[in-house]
Amino acid sequence: MGMSREPTYSPIDTNPLLEPWTGPFEAPPFDRIEPSHFPPAFDAALKEARAEIDAIAADPTAPTFANTIEALERSGRSLDKIGSVFFNLVGAHTNDELQAIERDIAPRLARHRSETYLNEALFKRIDALKAREGELGLSAEQARVLERYHLDFTRAGAAAALEAKAQLAAIAERLATLAAKFGQNVLADEKDWIMLLDESDLDGLPVFFTASAARIAADRGHPRKYAVTLTRSSVEPFLQFSARRDLRESAFRAWMARGENGGATDNRAIAAEMVRLRAERARLLGYETYAHYRLADTMAKTPGAALDLLESVWGPGVAQARKDEEALQAIAALEGGNFKVAPWDWRYLSEKRRKGQFDFDEGELKPYLQLDRIIEAAFYAANRLFGLSFAERFDLKPYHPDVRAWEVTGRDGKPKALFLGDYFARPSKRSGAWMSNFRGQQKLDGPQLPIVVNVMNFAEAAEGEASLLSIDESRTLFHEFGHALHGILSDVTYPRISGTRVAGDFVEFPSQLYEHWIKAPEMLRRFALHAKTGEPMPEALIGKLIAARRFNQGWATVEYAASALVDLKLHLDPKPGEVDVVAFERQELERIGMPEAIAMRHRTPHFQHIFSGGYSAAYYSYLWSEALDADGFGAFEEAGDIFDPETAGRLEKFVYAAGGARDYDEAYRAFRGRAPQPEALFRKRGLVDAS
Ligand SMILES: [Zn+2]
């Protein structure tokens, strides 16, 4: 006989994911959320969303904007709410349990999307609305939302034949599974590798590096050692400063080999299958290649336009990099190095060259770039430009003790958003830097304030010391904060066009534009304060920094454009067959004349942007947006004030607050008063336009 027990309640009864969130900003109750809460919550939310969508499709009354489009905008709210908590945790603070749930839920969510976007009755309603759009009396924003929905459905295959629909659904499901696995594999390879150094291995490494390397080693159970990891904030400064060529080579090779180590975490077969399935999906939808499909709804519109832009910087970039390589080779020879410059030497020798040419190196800048001051600088510029104020909320408990929370208020003194900042690298976090929402802005049923997060991978300083950034990392912070502002300042009615829900090659414009402010001398004077003395960065050093702003841009152009070109070419094959992605990459690099001393910024087996991050066939987007930001900041320079209120007003209205409410070319012209001038991009990178 078994013992009689109290009846157990289903976890749903006490599942915080399924309760209304009533705390400040209706933020997720992170301290109560456990991984085990997600599966039953997803089950319930999927069921609810399915019922809502089926009801819209089966509505016996004639379609109206309200009963179809607005009803769709209101559907799936629980699923959005739970999904955004889940995927934010999966990216920023994951564990084995969450990863297992991710592998299970990713294909189920894809199936749900297919069931929605391939639903014939539902598409008929949207199509009917689109056909009589002129009679509906829609506002400009509503017309744009209708257009987006119509496009979303046709692009998903709503108008395809039944058999094709079944294939499309199966492909979407498989792609979702593969993308989840791809990301998990990169994280596993990054977590697995660590290089431990002794005192005798520290040649050339500055104190800021060894202090944080000691902290990482201690955290991983190796006291009195120093650790190099494969996170960019660790491996990059190591490659920049370590005088030990043998160790640089080991670290560099491990960094480049992520996703290509054989065994269970190898991504080569996954990437190949994804490329094949994407081509198949494009074919079923009537497009020549996946790249044609992917770019049809972007500013570039065609792969040809994106290729033209990439190729226009490639030639001048390589030419500049070749000149730089000669200079680096000479430095190596001077130091008695009898070797040909390799990719693991470039950063190290460049640092020496910068020291010689401009009389400073990264190590001198670093003490002036304190994380806390750079955060303050980002807030300050947002205040001057857009009237936002930031007050830290110590009472809120986000998903990890390192995560900070700020209440954002607008000019009118009313709350505008909750902003979370998650700045430090840790093994549970995906590499890179990103912005994401826990909730997007909308006002369909009254104002809904956004909850926006920035996630970085900076190295945390030793206990009691200020965490320091490199100039690149300071720019990254401003970049992601630019995305955050796009979410925070969003002022639209409909979720479908809110905040960053814009074309991929436009979305980097608000973020890259914002980077310009941290480079401005008046910002450096105010916020680049020495961590020990509090003294501002000396004028002479600011001057050197500005003089060197185009230093090494050939290399930066080449490492970026090589990745973007390989991405585009991989997706330009109409029938990829059994593609060997690494061989493809090698051939393509050979074809375009990749300098041997430079490596791609992201090699294919760990290229998360394109295999698990939504930038497939679209890594060119950064350069497309750069053509806008290089030209766009000029509006402030021409006004003679980097905070010019009138220019800032236009920027807010037409860009940061507008989401996807209007055509992007039009939005840019409304802000700038004219179309972008292409020379600005070449000027910014210091490249000579060969065309
Ligand atoms: Zn970005």
Side-chain angles (χ1 to χ4, degrees):
M1 288 279 293
M3 282 196 307
S4 140
R5 302 184 58 173
E6 291 288 313
T8 51
Y9 291 98
S10 133
I12 290 174
D13 294 329
T14 53
N15 191 333
L17 292 169
L18 293 170
E19 294 164 7
W21 299 338
T22 53
F25 284 89
E26 297 174 355
F30 291 109
D31 52 339
R32 293 170 49 221
I33 297 173
E34 300 292 332
S36 62
H37 292 133
F38 284 103
F42 271 123
D43 288 345
L46 273 165
K47 210 169 143 194
E48 184 186 302
R50 188 78 270 131
E52 287 166 346
I53 285 161
D54 289 346
I56 301 167
D59 189 339
T61 59
T64 62
F65 188 80
N67 74 16
T68 304
I69 302 298
E70 287 187 346
L72 279 169
E73 287 284 80
R74 288 192 177 93
S75 72
R77 282 189 177 167
S78 307
L79 189 57
D80 283 351
K81 188 171 132 178
I82 293 157
S84 39
V85 176
F86 180 75
F87 286 103
N88 275 299
L89 290 179
V90 156
H93 194 39
T94 194
N95 56 44
D96 292 345
E97 217 177 334
L98 286 174
Q99 291 196 330
I101 299 167
E102 186 194 9
R103 289 192 297 271
D104 174 65
I105 199 68
R108 289 177 62 201
L109 291 173
R111 200 178 315 150
H112 170 71
R113 275 192 298 273
S114 295
E115 280 165 9
T116 303
Y117 288 99
L118 299 176
N119 182 317
E120 193 168 351
L122 188 53
F123 179 60
K124 269 194 181 145
R125 297 180 71 87
I126 297 168
D127 203 34
L129 287 173
K130 185 83 181 99
R132 16 177 226 100
E133 189 186 335
E135 306 156 28
L136 301 176
L138 301 180
S139 69
E141 192 184 328
Q142 288 172 328
R144 179 81 173 167
V145 172
L146 173 58
E147 180 215 295
R148 295 282 98 195
Y149 267 94
H150 194 262
L151 207 58
D152 291 345
F153 274 75
T154 37
R155 282 178 60 75
L162 211 57
E163 195 191 325
K165 280 185 179 175
Q167 280 176 275
L168 285 167
I171 289 173
E173 221 174 287
R174 180 69 184 152
L175 279 172
T177 300
L178 293 170
K181 187 73 180 109
F182 189 98
Q184 293 185 0
N185 286 346
V186 178
L187 185 65
D189 277 9
E190 285 173 355
K191 243 163 83 171
D192 277 357
W193 192 90
I194 186 169
M195 182 162 77
L196 292 170
L197 308 177
D198 292 315
E199 290 285 345
S200 59
D201 301 322
L202 305 181
D203 266 12
L205 295 171
V207 179
F208 77 80
F209 181 86
T210 51
S212 94
R215 179 178 182 148
I216 299 168
D219 284 353
R220 307 267 187 111
H222 305 283
R224 290 175 303 282
K225 297 263 186 190
Y226 304 84
V228 183
T229 70
L230 294 184
T231 191
R232 195 173 278 277
S233 61
S234 172
V235 72
E236 243 181 6
F238 180 75
L239 292 169
Q240 234 169 343
F241 292 106
S242 172
R244 286 282 298 277
R245 189 165 193 253
D246 56 334
L247 300 179
R248 288 202 310 265
E249 179 174 353
S250 302
F252 185 84
R253 286 190 186 280
W255 197 31
M256 288 298 120
R258 288 168 297 151
E260 200 190 343
N261 289 313
T265 61
D266 196 294
N267 271 334
R268 281 171 290 186
I270 293 177
E273 188 179 348
M274 290 183 78
V275 168
R276 208 162 55 236
L277 289 173
R278 285 168 175 170
E280 180 61 11
R281 167 194 264 180
R283 195 187 60 75
L284 289 165
L285 292 167
Y287 289 87
E288 208 175 312
T289 70
Y290 178 75
H292 287 83
Y293 163 70
R294 181 66 179 77
L295 269 62
D297 185 33
T298 61
M299 290 187 82
K301 294 188 175 66
T302 64
L307 269 180
D308 281 350
L309 179 67
L310 286 169
E311 280 166 358
S312 75
V313 301
W314 178 256
V318 170
Q320 185 57 50
R322 294 261 184 230
K323 272 190 229 155
D324 293 341
E325 188 180 342
E326 279 170 33
L328 299 185
Q329 196 67 61
I331 293 169
L334 265 179
E335 298 203 341
N338 184 22
F339 56 82
K340 186 161 168 21
V341 176
W344 47 90
D345 301 317
W346 194 289
R347 288 176 176 80
Y348 175 73
L349 294 170
S350 280
E351 243 359 85
K352 304 237 154 207
R353 184 177 177 217
R354 171 151 61 184
K355 181 85 187 158
Q357 210 176 334
F358 297 101
D359 190 32
F360 76 98
D361 67 16
E362 191 79 48
E364 275 170 68
L365 291 176
K366 197 114 179 176
Y368 293 99
L369 301 171
Q370 304 177 61
L371 171 63
D372 284 352
R373 298 288 84 76
I374 303 299
I375 295 172
E376 234 177 81
F379 292 170
Y380 172 83
N383 180 268
R384 293 287 304 273
L385 291 165
F386 308 122
L388 298 177
S389 304
F390 295 78
E392 189 154 6
R393 292 279 306 244
F394 297 98
D395 57 321
L396 300 181
K397 302 258 171 296
Y399 53 89
H400 185 279
D402 284 351
V403 186
R404 299 167 69 180
W406 287 271
E407 180 171 329
V408 188
T409 44
R411 260 190 205 94
D412 55 5
K414 288 188 192 146
K416 186 119 178 105
L418 183 65
F419 173 68
L420 306 180
D422 180 357
Y423 295 105
F424 299 122
R426 57 176 168 263
S428 64
K429 193 190 275 188
R430 173 158 70 81
S431 55
W434 64 93
M435 166 272 192
S436 172
N437 286 325
F438 280 94
R439 187 172 61 222
Q441 179 274 337
Q442 59 150 302
K443 45 190 180 188
L444 188 51
D445 299 303
Q448 176 178 290
L449 301 184
I451 303 178
V452 174
V453 62
N454 270 177
V455 185
M456 318 276 160
N457 271 289
F458 300 146
E460 195 167 2
E463 205 64 50
E465 301 275 312
S467 290
L468 303 175
L469 304 183
S470 68
I471 194 78
D472 261 2
E473 288 171 332
S474 307
R475 252 184 27 222
T476 299
L477 188 145
F478 267 66
H479 178 104
E480 299 308 333
F481 194 69
H483 283 310
L485 288 174
H486 206 182
I488 290 168
L489 290 165
S490 177
D491 186 19
V492 298
T493 302
Y494 294 93
R496 176 60 189 86
I497 53 163
S498 171
T500 53
R501 295 188 69 181
V502 299
D505 50 8
F506 182 73
V507 79
E508 300 302 330
F509 169 51
S511 56
Q512 290 181 168
L513 183 69
Y514 208 68
E515 293 175 27
H516 289 263
W517 274 274
I518 189 54
K519 295 189 264 179
E522 64 178 284
M523 289 287 285
L524 291 171
R525 272 177 215 125
R526 187 184 279 261
F527 294 102
L529 306 176
H530 197 282
K532 292 273 189 295
T533 66
E535 291 292 315
M537 187 181 278
E539 277 307 312
L541 189 51
I542 293 179
K544 291 175 197 173
L545 188 58
I546 289 164
R549 70 189 179 284
R550 295 192 181 100
F551 178 72
N552 212 22
Q553 280 298 302
W555 174 86
T557 302
V558 167
E559 69 144 14
Y560 161 77
S563 287
L565 283 164
V566 167
D567 162 42
L568 206 51
K569 293 291 175 62
L570 256 180
H571 294 104
L572 264 173
D573 189 339
K575 256 190 157 318
E578 294 299 316
V579 54
D580 173 342
V581 291
V582 170
F584 181 93
E585 177 184 290
R586 195 168 43 237
Q587 284 156 17
E588 182 56 25
L589 293 179
E590 237 167 71
R591 201 192 61 76
I592 59 179
M594 179 77 168
E596 270 171 47
I598 303 178
M600 298 166 77
R601 186 167 176 88
H602 306 283
R603 290 201 47 241
T604 311
H606 52 252
F607 204 163
Q608 299 191 81
H609 288 84
I610 69 168
F611 291 111
S612 55
Y615 283 78
S616 50
Y619 193 61
Y620 79 91
S621 298
Y622 291 91
L623 195 68
W624 195 275
S625 290
E626 193 177 322
L628 303 183
D629 81 67
D631 181 73
F633 191 68
F636 287 93
E637 291 171 332
E638 287 156 24
D641 175 5
I642 61 167
F643 299 113
D644 179 58
E646 234 173 273
T647 314
R650 284 201 308 276
L651 184 62
E652 179 177 350
K653 182 172 177 202
F654 296 115
V655 179
Y656 284 93
R662 58 171 80 217
D663 172 78
Y664 310 114
D665 288 302
E666 202 183 288
Y668 185 84
R669 281 197 306 271
F671 150 62
R672 188 67 168 101
R674 57 164 176 75
Q677 293 170 348
E679 308 82 62
L681 173 63
F682 289 87
R683 262 201 313 275
K684 182 182 167 196
R685 288 189 173 242
L687 302 175
V688 184
D689 187 355
S691 66

